[in-house]
């Protein structure tokens, strides 16, 4: 289903609301399968330990690299293979969502973490 069927947003705020949803979704992904999980593993210095903990640390680093480089490669490939397919709009949407994620979603997550004592 499309967003319009799920949430009613005034026309002037549609673009901003879409970017806000993208930022919120990216933050949730960061919490469950992304940066937060990798940082938790890396903070514990498991890379200095052998066995399964060392292997988990190596896997966390590889996962972070795969997501980062995979996303960049996908964007580059899409830009080169479909230049007139709305790529500029998608890159602008990505930039807008990134700004919202860095300025709103990430500080909110950090604040909630500190208030809840989840450190």
């Amino acid at each position: 289903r499309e967003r319009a069927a799920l949430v009613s947003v005034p026309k002037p705020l549609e673009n901003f609301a879409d970017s806000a949803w993208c930022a919120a979704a990216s933050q949730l992904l960061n919490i469950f399968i992304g940066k937060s999980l990798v940082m938790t593993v890396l903070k514990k210095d498991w890379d200095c330990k052998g066995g399964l903990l060392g292997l988990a640390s190596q896997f966390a680093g590889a996962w972070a690299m795969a997501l980062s480089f995979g996303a960049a490669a996908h964007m580059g490939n899409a830009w080169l293979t479909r230049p007139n397919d709305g790529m500029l709009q998608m890159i602008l949407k990505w930039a807008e969502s990134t700004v919202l994620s860095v300025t709103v979603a990430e500080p909110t997550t950090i604040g909630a973490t500190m208030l809840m004592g989840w450190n």
Side-chain angles (χ1 to χ4, degrees), residues 28-90:
L28 286 173
L29 285 172
N30 266 341
I31 289 169
F32 292 111
I33 64 167
K35 180 183 70 174
S36 298
L37 179 62
V38 171
M39 290 300 291
T40 300
V41 170
L42 294 178
K43 277 186 201 174
K44 296 185 183 282
D45 289 331
W46 287 356
D47 55 330
C48 299
K49 300 176 181 172
L52 289 177
L53 294 179
L55 187 62
S57 178
Q58 289 177 353
F59 180 75
W63 179 254
M65 283 182 48
L67 285 179
S68 299
F69 289 113
H74 176 65
M75 184 178 73
N77 181 49
W79 180 269
L80 292 173
T81 58
R82 300 185 313 250
N84 297 325
D85 217 10
M87 288 305 301
L88 180 60
Q89 289 86 357
M90 284 193 269

Side-chain angles (χ1 to χ4, degrees), residues 3 7 9 13-22 93 96 100:
R3 181 208 38 88
V7 179
V9 178
L13 297 177
E14 280 182 348
N15 192 39
F16 180 77
D18 189 45
S19 294
W21 282 111
C22 288
K93 176 59 67 183
E96 190 175 89
L100 277 173

